[in-house]
Amino acid sequence: MSGKADLIVFNGRILTMTGARTPVQTAVAVADGEICAIGTDDDVFSMRMPTTTLVDAGGGSILPGFNENHMHLFFGATKLSHLNLSGVTGYEVLAKATKAFAAMHPDLPLISGVGVAYDVLGDGRKLDRHILDSILPERPILLAAPDFHAAWANSAALKQAGIFHGARLAPGNEIVMEPSGTASGELRENDAIKPVEALGGGRETLALHGIEPSPTPSERALDKAILRRGLDHCARLGITSIQNMDGNLYQAELLEELYREGHLSCRVRLPFSFVQSMDVASLEKADCMHQRYRSDWLRSGQVKLFMDGVPESWTALMHDDYADKPGWRGEPRFTEEGFNAVVREADRRGLQIAVHAIGDEAVHRVLNGFEAARHRNGARDSRHRVEHVDIALDDDVDRFARLGAIASFQPLHAPGHGLPSEPVLSRFGRNNWRRAYAWKRFRDAGVRMVFSSDWPVVSVDPLQSIHCAMTCPPLADDLPDNRQTLDQALAAYTCDAAYAEFTENRKGRLAVGYLADIAVLDRDITAVEPEAIAGMRCLATICGGHITHRDPAT
């Protein structure tokens, strides 16, 4: 080997993710932000200079940096400082945690909690404003479910937000009302939750929509700091690329500033969020973002939409009635005509389309839209995506393969793992479980698949998702086993993830000439039992040849 290396990672077990069988390789060299050599320690150390940075892998895995395929960067970063109620069960525990957090933050205008289970009380009662009033009656409270598609507010919050007596909302959103004509405290979907969130400053959903804010200089500085905190959190977990699932021009500008300042610790793909209130002409802004942001560090070129909500709040769009709510199938966010018009135009402009669709009817309508675009514009390598796909009709699995559509799954969404088993399983009904979380069925059909977290819904740690994908048992003994192999799960976070964003020739593998995006794990992931993977940690993260995270021990 010849040449000079800026950085060498050595004493590890290389996983190239190229699909080729290679002799034992233990080191990788980096120059000018790209991989310049892979081989044994002795081979690669021939490129060492006095100024070369060394990273000792300590016998652990050296693999491509993780590519997080579906997350909400700004939203997740804001939640890092909120009251975390994950795993809390029972009124007494809930009350104690909420009161303690409120006492520690006496000046917060809104007590915001996350991770609240739908059955948090654990005694068959539903959380409502009356229960929250008994915990903290005078200060506004908003507690969000793990999926963030439902939340519960106390009376003070509902009154200050002006929705104590309800409000007219877009389809698919609901302020649940009591017979008395006052709000129960349960809020379903963003339009219902947003007025209460605004009491806390409204920064959480700032980038969830294509609508542009008008921040003050101090707010802009705060938002940029929030983004940086989220990026650094991801880098500590071995993540080098983020495919964000919300975006607008404002968020792109902040990320661009972080890049110029040398603080962009992960590569970011940012979409344009298209919401119900927009018309097709709004896609002009998506086009502008596509033309402006197309570097290896910050890219656009995608449109993100929502077709439905989630089953927990009966807002996912189902083909048949909910098993526990006869006569109700959910509401679509768009009419079929309206959705197809947006998809056809986005496709005509050469934009990739990603659509949140959890219910089987939502997935069906999204695929109809992709077919409508192909019929109008002709077939192309569009790589349109369906996000979540918790349940799908049998015929639609094969349609994914025919259309070349990508199925974007979140392993930790499987009931009983990152999210509770109930009420999801009761909503779907036992007869439909075989069609839910059907990762193996999709893979066997030849569908392109990626894995991700949907952070902050669940942990953004890729190792936890990989562990779940490999160990998640069938929903019942007589149902399909959808567990994945290690190679499949790793590919879904590396080379397959790169394919999903059209960068398979630049990243997702360790190969000479590829971007130097590398994760170093504390153990050889091929040698540990699957159950142990969730307990592994990232020793070092390298993005574009820069060390973005390093454990003090390395």
Side-chain angles (χ1 to χ4, degrees):
M1 293 184 179
S2 60
K4 299 177 180 180
D6 300 324
L7 180 147
I8 292 174
V9 186
F10 67 101
N11 187 26
R13 169 68 183 267
I14 299 281
L15 290 175
T16 64
M17 301 308 298
T18 59
R21 293 185 179 275
T22 59
V24 175
Q25 297 174 317
T26 59
V28 56
V30 173
D32 298 323
E34 295 184 351
I35 294 171
C36 60
I38 300 174
T40 66
D41 286 5
D42 289 341
D43 291 337
V44 172
F45 264 84
S46 66
M47 306 176 70
R48 180 181 179 182
M49 301 183 294
T51 57
T52 299
T53 300
L54 301 179
V55 177
D56 186 349
S61 289
I62 304 171
L63 67 161
F66 295 120
N67 189 330
E68 167 56 41
N69 294 278
H70 182 126
M71 55 103 80
H72 301 278
L73 177 61
F74 191 94
F75 191 48
T78 64
K79 301 305 179 186
L80 292 173
S81 60
H82 287 194
L83 170 61
N84 190 339
L85 294 167
S86 301
V88 167
T89 301
Y91 174 84
E92 296 298 333
V93 182
L94 175 65
K96 182 178 179 180
T98 304
K99 288 178 179 177
F101 184 85
M104 291 174 59
H105 302 86
D107 298 324
L108 283 180
L110 177 69
I111 305 301
S112 296
V114 298
V116 183
Y118 281 83
D119 59 350
V120 64
L121 299 178
D123 56 6
R125 289 186 298 165
K126 294 183 65 176
L127 193 60
D128 59 25
R129 67 178 173 89
H130 304 289
I131 291 170
L132 295 180
D133 288 350
S134 71
I135 295 173
L136 204 66
E138 296 179 357
R139 294 180 65 182
I141 303 174
L142 181 68
L143 305 183
D147 53 37
F148 295 98
H149 286 261
W152 297 268
N154 66 351
S155 297
L158 295 166
K159 289 175 180 177
Q160 286 193 31
I163 59 173
F164 189 70
H165 296 286
R168 180 173 294 181
L169 305 174
N173 300 265
E174 182 182 4
I175 300 169
V176 179
M177 304 299 291
E178 296 177 335
S180 63
T182 56
S184 72
E186 183 177 354
L187 308 171
R188 298 175 182 171
E189 299 299 333
N190 182 67
D191 281 5
I193 299 169
K194 186 165 55 176
V196 179
E197 278 184 331
L199 301 178
R203 313 313 294 169
E204 291 91 343
T205 57
L206 194 65
L208 288 177
H209 315 290
I211 300 168
E212 303 295 338
S214 300
T216 64
S218 61
E219 287 173 334
R220 188 180 183 91
L222 172 63
D223 294 339
K224 192 161 69 171
I226 289 171
L227 280 172
R228 184 176 177 185
R229 182 171 63 198
L231 289 163
D232 291 346
H233 177 73
C234 293
R236 287 193 290 272
L237 300 171
I239 295 171
T240 55
S241 288
I242 290 168
Q243 296 181 50
N244 212 44
M245 282 295 143
D246 59 76
N248 54 9
L249 184 59
Y250 174 63
Q251 193 176 9
E253 290 172 345
L254 295 180
L255 290 166
E256 186 177 33
E257 289 178 19
L258 286 172
Y259 171 73
R260 290 199 301 264
E261 295 165 2
H263 297 314
L264 194 60
S265 49
C266 302
R267 305 181 193 277
V268 181
R269 181 125 192 258
L270 195 73
F272 172 76
S273 293
F274 190 101
V275 297
Q276 292 159 280
S277 59
M278 295 177 178
D279 57 26
V280 173
S282 300
L283 291 172
E284 182 65 31
K285 184 176 288 186
D287 235 348
C288 291
M289 288 177 63
H290 184 203
Q291 298 305 317
R292 179 171 170 180
Y293 300 106
R294 29 193 335 138
S295 75
D296 285 331
W297 284 95
L298 180 59
R299 300 175 61 240
S300 190
Q302 185 183 80
V303 177
K304 169 68 188 307
L305 305 91
F306 279 78
M307 177 57 78
D308 68 347
V310 295
E312 289 90 336
S313 57
W314 294 288
T315 54
L317 184 63
M318 302 299 294
H319 183 73
D320 297 311
D321 293 354
Y322 276 90
D324 61 350
K325 195 173 184 179
W328 179 253
R329 301 181 181 184
E331 291 181 315
R333 299 289 183 90
F334 292 88
T335 65
E336 291 191 71
E337 296 79 8
F339 177 77
N340 290 354
V342 175
V343 170
R344 283 195 297 262
E345 178 59 15
D347 181 78
R348 186 190 69 80
R349 292 174 179 266
L351 299 167
Q352 187 185 34
I353 301 160
V355 189
H356 168 118
I358 285 184
D360 50 9
E361 180 63 21
V363 173
H364 184 73
R365 293 191 185 194
V366 171
L367 295 179
N368 287 347
F370 292 171
E371 284 193 329
R374 175 175 287 199
H375 180 75
R376 173 71 62 84
N377 304 324
R380 67 180 182 87
D381 184 15
S382 59
R383 305 186 195 183
H384 296 325
R385 303 167 48 136
V386 187
E387 308 298 322
H388 308 307
V389 201
D390 286 10
I391 187 167
L393 300 172
D394 290 326
D395 290 345
D396 281 339
V397 177
D398 295 323
R399 271 215 297 170
F400 267 88
R402 292 199 303 272
L403 291 168
I406 293 170
S408 172
F409 294 114
Q410 294 70 44
L412 286 170
H413 284 198
H417 296 274
L419 296 176
S421 297
E422 292 296 346
V424 175
L425 295 182
S426 294
R427 301 283 191 267
F428 285 160
R430 179 64 170 80
N431 292 339
N432 293 317
W433 290 1
R434 67 173 183 81
R435 298 188 289 110
Y437 313 99
W439 312 323
K440 188 175 187 302
R441 167 77 173 87
F442 274 78
R443 191 176 293 282
D444 289 347
V447 179
R448 290 277 190 169
M449 294 168 47
V450 293
F451 287 152
S452 59
S453 68
D454 196 18
W455 188 60
V457 171
V458 295
S459 169
V460 73
D461 185 352
L463 291 172
Q464 291 192 32
S465 289
I466 290 168
H467 165 264
C468 181
M470 295 178 64
T471 63
C472 180
L475 293 175
D477 291 341
D478 61 335
L479 293 178
D481 187 340
N482 286 294
R483 283 175 283 197
Q484 306 285 290
T485 67
L486 176 62
D487 285 347
Q488 289 169 341
L490 286 174
Y493 262 105
T494 55
C495 52
D496 292 345
Y499 174 87
E501 60 166 338
F502 299 91
T503 58
E504 68 270 25
N505 295 322
R506 291 287 283 158
K507 59 184 177 181
R509 295 178 169 86
L510 298 185
V512 173
Y514 272 58
L515 297 171
D517 296 354
I518 303 167
V520 182
L521 307 183
D522 65 338
R523 282 168 280 172
D524 179 357
I525 197 170
T526 67
V528 302
E529 293 297 323
E531 291 75 13
I533 290 175
M536 294 177 65
R537 59 192 177 91
C538 179
L539 295 180
T541 307
I542 297 153
C543 189
H546 303 285
I547 296 176
T548 55
H549 160 69
R550 189 167 188 175
D551 188 285
T554 61

